[in-house]
Amino acid sequence: MEGIKVVTIGGGSSYTPELVEGFINRYEELPIRELWLVDIPEGKEKLETVGALARRMVEKAGVSIEIHLSYNREEALEQADFVTTQIRVGLLEARALDECIPLNYNVIGQETNGPGGLFKGLRTIPVILDICRDMERLCPNAWLINFSNPAGMVTEAVLRYSPITKTVGLCNVPIGMKMGVAEMIGVDAERIFIDFAGLNHMVYGTDVYLDGVRITDQVIDKLSNGIGLTMKNIVDLGWEPEFIRALGILPCPYHRYYYQTSKMLEAELAEMNDTGTRAEAVKQLERELLELYKDPDLATKPPQLEERGGAYYSDAACSLISSIYNDKGDIQPVNTRNNGTIKGLPDDSAVEVNCVITKNGPKPIQVGELPVAVRGLVQQIKSFERVAGEAAVTGNYNKALLAMTINPLVPSDSIAKQLIDDMLEAHQDYLPQFDHPASVRKG
Amino acid sequence: MEGIKVVTIGGGSSYTPELVEGFINRYEELPIRELWLVDIPEGKEKLETVGALARRMVEKAGVSIEIHLSYNREEALEQADFVTTQIRVGLLEARALDECIPLNYNVIGQETNGPGGLFKGLRTIPVILDICRDMERLCPNAWLINFSNPAGMVTEAVLRYSPITKTVGLCNVPIGMKMGVAEMIGVDAERIFIDFAGLNHMVYGTDVYLDGVRITDQVIDKLSNGIGLTMKNIVDLGWEPEFIRALGILPCPYHRYYYQTSKMLEAELAEMNDTGTRAEAVKQLERELLELYKDPDLATKPPQLEERGGAYYSDAACSLISSIYNDKGDIQPVNTRNNGTIKGLPDDSAVEVNCVITKNGPKPIQVGELPVAVRGLVQQIKSFERVAGEAAVTGNYNKALLAMTINPLVPSDSIAKQLIDDMLEAHQDYLPQFDHPASVRKG
Amino acid sequence: MEGIKVVTIGGGSSYTPELVEGFINRYEELPIRELWLVDIPEGKEKLETVGALARRMVEKAGVSIEIHLSYNREEALEQADFVTTQIRVGLLEARALDECIPLNYNVIGQETNGPGGLFKGLRTIPVILDICRDMERLCPNAWLINFSNPAGMVTEAVLRYSPITKTVGLCNVPIGMKMGVAEMIGVDAERIFIDFAGLNHMVYGTDVYLDGVRITDQVIDKLSNGIGLTMKNIVDLGWEPEFIRALGILPCPYHRYYYQTSKMLEAELAEMNDTGTRAEAVKQLERELLELYKDPDLATKPPQLEERGGAYYSDAACSLISSIYNDKGDIQPVNTRNNGTIKGLPDDSAVEVNCVITKNGPKPIQVGELPVAVRGLVQQIKSFERVAGEAAVTGNYNKALLAMTINPLVPSDSIAKQLIDDMLEAHQDYLPQFDHPASVRKG
Amino acid sequence: MEGIKVVTIGGGSSYTPELVEGFINRYEELPIRELWLVDIPEGKEKLETVGALARRMVEKAGVSIEIHLSYNREEALEQADFVTTQIRVGLLEARALDECIPLNYNVIGQETNGPGGLFKGLRTIPVILDICRDMERLCPNAWLINFSNPAGMVTEAVLRYSPITKTVGLCNVPIGMKMGVAEMIGVDAERIFIDFAGLNHMVYGTDVYLDGVRITDQVIDKLSNGIGLTMKNIVDLGWEPEFIRALGILPCPYHRYYYQTSKMLEAELAEMNDTGTRAEAVKQLERELLELYKDPDLATKPPQLEERGGAYYSDAACSLISSIYNDKGDIQPVNTRNNGTIKGLPDDSAVEVNCVITKNGPKPIQVGELPVAVRGLVQQIKSFERVAGEAAVTGNYNKALLAMTINPLVPSDSIAKQLIDDMLEAHQDYLPQFDHPASVRKG
């Protein structure tokens, strides 16, 4: 059949209109025939609201993309060309717990590479691996584009524990950094190019170019003069100028959690006392967005959606899909198999690096050694991600505790144990691979 | 000339009698002709006390080792066969500051791989490199046996920044772990063998053997049941059983600072409030030892010396020197050039691994990849050590701040800056390579 | 000043009209202001003939590129933006000797990675390093685009022994393979993409794509059915079908010398008896070309030029220069610093791989491990190239002999010695870094 | 049960008396209770002759080692502690073919790393893997000590294709080199120590020591002055002095095949014309030895046995077994898993390096990078060995042809094909994993 079939697992997400807009804008080069929005029955109301908006958007744009809503993943996956995942196992309630429980122990939750990220990973990885098993049967030639967080850990789990090799993990942090640099120096974003290297939410800009001319030092200079480069969902506390100059490369906003742990913890504790966790703020925002989406006169993506931390995500996804489909050979930063691109990390680990995007997927541009000063932190997060992945697929309590203890945000093995025990209990419905914690803890 | 010439820089140390005892005990296999104890004029009283005891020990033992006391390093080094260094730049006063200043900011000082270790390294490395320059001229064929802390950082600096390649860094942690395991399972220490791999004060026992039979799991089991394995100078807080089982290898006592940061910090704060810093306790102990040493009837090493954290150090040194001199081919854990022994660490970095000791120095036994769970922490300490070494030789403020910020015990770039500024001021007499901090901070 | 200054060392080459044509065709995107053709006084006649043709070509095309002829390299290099080198130290006479002398011993000469290539490298590398020294003074920001053979060995020498880091080595083999595949399957060359990995004249096509779709197996199939893929200057003897299927990747034409040594030797011996060496054929061709060039009515590149083995070279060079100048980000196979791109080869070695071409030069696309079956041969040629480079810069006879002996085409250390001795004598005017062989051989 | 059970597969070998002598000499430290000599029924006469001699030797020595003769491998393996293999699949007749067939095409046969070695590997590996399967069931804790050639290829196959990890490959080349150096400089062999690194029959002495003092240069000097270092079965043609000085390390006798290919080929052709192949000489020697063994008065190893190329093999085996049993921690050169010991070779490949021998087997001493000049040849033989191993376990014709073509002794893909076809036919009874060549060649 002519045209492309895209399946979006977690299609009821409030981000979906951005995705739809991206597909509409690229319709000429990326002729999507069917877009399947798949969700779980519990998300029926959201899926129908989002789906109805998607249909109005498509109609208004005058493109012939069929929007299908489905609660049956297998039916949807059949013969798919691209599968995107934007799932949130346990919904925002689970995320709130991921953030709150650690804060109870004066530990930052950090929902990707921190303690909260461990739990998000333990909940998400088995579901993604289930999807992979379905794909193997129903659409073995499809590409899996994952933007469910923690995207690095999830991509690595797919690479190591599933037969699906056509997979890419996506993140909006690099594009956000590019936008940030462009704004900082007052130029159009397309004139900026950044060499990215690292891991998901732990990526560095190792060089910055304006029209191809290296401007890294000027950007570092601005950063060290207090001019920020941050994201909607991460507070900007500024950097010590001499530190950022000695670092010599661009940290991503998430690096604040590691280089400014105590300050970020204070800020998070204060925010929780003031206004609740970030998850709660996001919940409120979601409610408002969905209310907007219900307006039968709305047939475009509402601008409020861009206020969220996830801005640019869906655009990055559409852009990636189009580059694969069209064998564009342009360069995009994605999560992919390392294979020696960054020295010292395992070949089969996921890394976030600039890649040439082709019909055969991303081909990473060689990085070599990371600067010595950042090699340790990157390796430590990779250690954490790998052990976390092993815990996710085995349901082994000790492995989970090991992952938690070696996380750089966790201050001791005993606090790690308390976090694990509290969280295993809180999330037990979403962690069937683990024994019930009560019995485990005696074991 | 017949017989061996050994020069001990920092010869006035209260540890020297252990070294002398070690040489006396090995006199048959290691015929030392001259032992030069060298110190700075400020240490005259200590050197004379220690030197007099050394002479009485040698005389009582009936061996013909000449004891020379000297304040002239160049005179001493001429034609030396072995040079050992046990210096403490800034004496115990400096160490007390290394420990106290961080504690003022609720940060563990940790005098080897922590913030205190950074300062110890900044003070010590230039002095050691000066010694290397003298050696190159005066005794180019001599071996430099360093047991000045931070021994890993110092050994790496010698390897990277001096022409002296015949160098070994020594540590008493591995031998202490071996003794600890022997005691734990109730056997003679010589029946125990441990595969060591890691960095100085960051070494793991990756396997343990009794009479050649692997008993790692039994030892882990005992550890996870609360049976300790610690050192005189490090409090034992026990490990979370499931953590230590999942780790699956033997941590060294110093690992508590990293896997139990918050608990260790509490313990250190409590100890400081109670009895002052560890440095103060050591100072008191030193005073008592030197008082003992003055007794003209004393002609053996007093047993009180073994109460210190540095126990076995000197014995390890004598044993190493003898194995080199006699081309023994026995196996000892030392700090030496990595050269691929531990994958993922730079070739020219110092690592602490089991080596075959020959007349040509240590030949490391291959390690390969460290277990994934510990790779991150080891890499992070190595990152810290390398950047610290660069700061030590260049006197670059920003590099020093970078080293401090990436240390896993330091909670933010801002606290790092406060530590650096306080410490640069406190130790300015011993850090001539740095600009005066007052002017720097404005820069 | 506006516009680009290009300096071509060896500008009197009969290939120059192709280069000029390339610049003319790209004038819109690559506004060259000055093209300096530099040669040695001995080449005056050729340079003037070629220069006059170049001026007629530029005039006819109506573009304002100034053509300068010069015998003074320093004057030419001042403020250059791009320096291209197409030198032939010792001219075709030397090449003839590179080919004949080995054939006298029943050894293939092979003027790039074979015995002849060693001598070409020994003659060429010192001259190129001289150019680098001039560039450092006179145009430190210029790019050095080398297409003097042996291009891999020369590029590696520049990377290891000169301060010039902005350097790229170019070869026409990859573009020839692409053309060959296109012709083989009957499609336009721009629809073909090949993943290239290896060394200069030792490059493999590890995958082949048509419009982005992998067609490697079909191409291998055609190859194994006797359908050729070769170059003007290399005889095509066909491959054993089962061998090429087991190899599973595309060899380059030069691989015949290594996988079909005995057959190629026979063919070369037969050809020499028949018609003389390839060098003699080239000399004849050159004479004819220069005769053509003298025609005052000729103002375009004559088609006869394409008959030579070096076809596409100059076009590849123009294309590379334009991509650098315009920061195009397209993909081209070039010789560049390995830096981990191909595992197992030194970081500072030159490799020939696909690169993204930017204003900051080539960024290699990650290769990882080469297939196990080809790893050995590639490593062996790299060993040869590295030792050859050391011999070239030191003028050490033993190193040269070592390089010759380890070359896979050379059957023994004794024949290697004969080759070295004969060639050192034959080329002594061009090898000033070596002692006169007569005295050496006694040493 | 008390005492050790050793099983020797291929026990009817004429080398067995050396093994028995080794066990007798070490009886105090290595209390062998049972020695099982296992062979195939076709070897009954030899096994009985050798077994009877073994019993007389044991009796005369007065040690209580029970000698069992068996044609039932499974019965023998039950509860074994050590299994040694010294099999020759196809007997000396097959070896003669391995040598002759290549010589028909003017190619050296070379029965380990050459074309003959490929066939020996194809015949031997499946049998060894069968033994491994039996061991897994019947004596899973036993050590497999392999000295069947090609020992490197066989050890690698065990490491990659069997569950047996307790395996060591043995070779007499390193001990022969040590003996040779000792003789060359006129000292006792135990005063010589050599750093060995490389592959089986492709090992280099990277440094040589006398009483721990480095004498590499003196040894190289002697070698370059024509003083030999060879083995009984390899002709010594001398080295080009300048080559050996530039090489700077000690080649093994087998390196002559690669660095002196044409000279060795001439010598082999001449020898074959004169006296037949080496295999025929060995056959004659074997006949004479067995005749000697039949003498009922003979109760010790006859000195004639030492005349063979395999001298020291059995002693090396006994020494290795004793070091494992007694956890000696001495250093022996063996074939073991690389795991990063030699950089650039696969982790799971077999390498021949110095190891510390413990109850847990060999622990390799770190090598790092091989000298650049030898890296290529070593990598090429490793490529050959790996592809050969794949061919042996799969019976894939194309893989076998690929292995043959990439062997450095083979001059073209076409000759490779002829060798493969001739040999597959000649050895078809011993190569059941391959289709019958006649049908294959049409395929």
Side-chain angles (χ1 to χ4, degrees), chain C residues 11-180:
Chain C
S13 160
S14 56
Y15 282 120
T16 296
E18 192 177 283
L19 195 69
V20 174
E21 186 193 55
F23 288 144
I24 290 172
N25 291 344
R26 286 171 180 78
Y27 188 72
E28 286 302 305
E29 68 180 50
L30 187 68
I32 292 179
R33 188 187 71 237
E34 299 175 28
L35 172 61
W36 287 68
L37 303 176
V38 182
D39 220 312
I40 49 176
E42 292 84 335
K44 188 161 194 284
E45 197 194 329
K46 277 179 66 182
L47 182 60
E48 292 192 343
T49 303
V50 166
L53 171 57
R55 283 181 178 136
R56 295 193 301 273
M57 288 173 72
V58 160
E59 191 178 4
K60 181 177 180 186
V63 300
S64 57
I65 301 175
E66 298 166 20
I67 305 290
H68 297 255
L69 309 188
S70 172
Y71 305 97
N72 179 340
R73 191 166 74 200
E74 296 188 52
E75 168 202 40
L77 287 176
E78 195 117 17
Q79 303 279 352
D81 297 298
F82 292 92
V83 179
T84 73
T85 56
Q86 48 185 41
I87 62 177
R88 216 188 253 290
V89 181
L91 307 177
L92 282 165
E93 278 68 28
R95 176 173 169 180
L97 292 167
D98 289 346
E99 291 177 348
C100 285
I101 293 173
L103 283 176
N104 291 343
Y105 296 96
N106 281 319
V107 177
I108 294 175
Q110 222 305 286
E111 64 141 0
T112 50
N113 297 326
L118 171 57
F119 272 80
K120 205 171 166 106
L122 297 179
R123 293 194 305 270
T124 308
I125 287 171
V127 177
I128 297 282
L129 293 178
D130 268 353
I131 296 173
C132 290
R133 274 182 286 271
D134 287 351
M135 287 178 65
E136 203 191 348
R137 255 181 319 121
L138 301 164
C139 53
N141 294 316
W143 278 93
L144 172 62
I145 313 293
N146 176 60
F147 39 117
S148 309
N149 268 328
M153 210 190 275
V154 167
T155 304
E156 177 148 339
V158 173
L159 290 171
R160 292 177 68 199
Y161 301 114
S162 98
I164 301 296
T165 56
K166 296 172 80 170
T167 187
V168 188
L170 254 190
C171 182
N172 67 337
V173 167
I175 194 171
M177 289 170 71
K178 181 173 156 170
M179 299 291 191

Side-chain angles (χ1 to χ4, degrees), chain B residues 419-436:
Chain B
L419 294 176
I420 290 284
D421 288 343
D422 284 10
M423 289 178 118
L424 273 184
E425 194 170 344
H427 294 309
Q428 62 179 287
D429 293 350
Y430 304 109
L431 297 170
Q433 76 269 46
F434 284 86
D435 288 338
H436 188 284

Side-chain angles (χ1 to χ4, degrees), chain B residues 275-288:
Chain B
T275 59
T277 60
R278 175 82 199 151
E280 281 154 20
V282 169
K283 244 154 88 178
Q284 176 58 25
L285 191 56
E286 276 228 337
R287 266 192 300 271
E288 292 167 18

Side-chain angles (χ1 to χ4, degrees), chain A residues 83 85 87 121 124-133 135-136 142-148 150-170 335-337 348-350 382 385-386 388-390 392-393:
Chain A
V83 179
T85 56
I87 63 177
T124 307
I125 287 170
V127 177
I128 297 282
L129 293 178
D130 268 354
I131 296 172
C132 289
R133 273 182 287 270
M135 287 178 65
E136 204 191 348
W143 279 93
L144 173 62
I145 313 293
N146 175 63
F147 37 114
S148 309
M153 211 190 274
V154 166
T155 304
E156 177 149 339
V158 173
L159 290 171
R160 292 177 67 200
Y161 302 114
S162 98
I164 300 296
T165 56
K166 296 171 80 170
T167 188
V168 188
L170 256 189
N335 286 271
T336 190
R337 194 171 185 279
D348 64 349
S349 274
K382 182 45 75 191
E385 286 185 347
R386 274 184 92 90
E390 291 169 21
V393 296

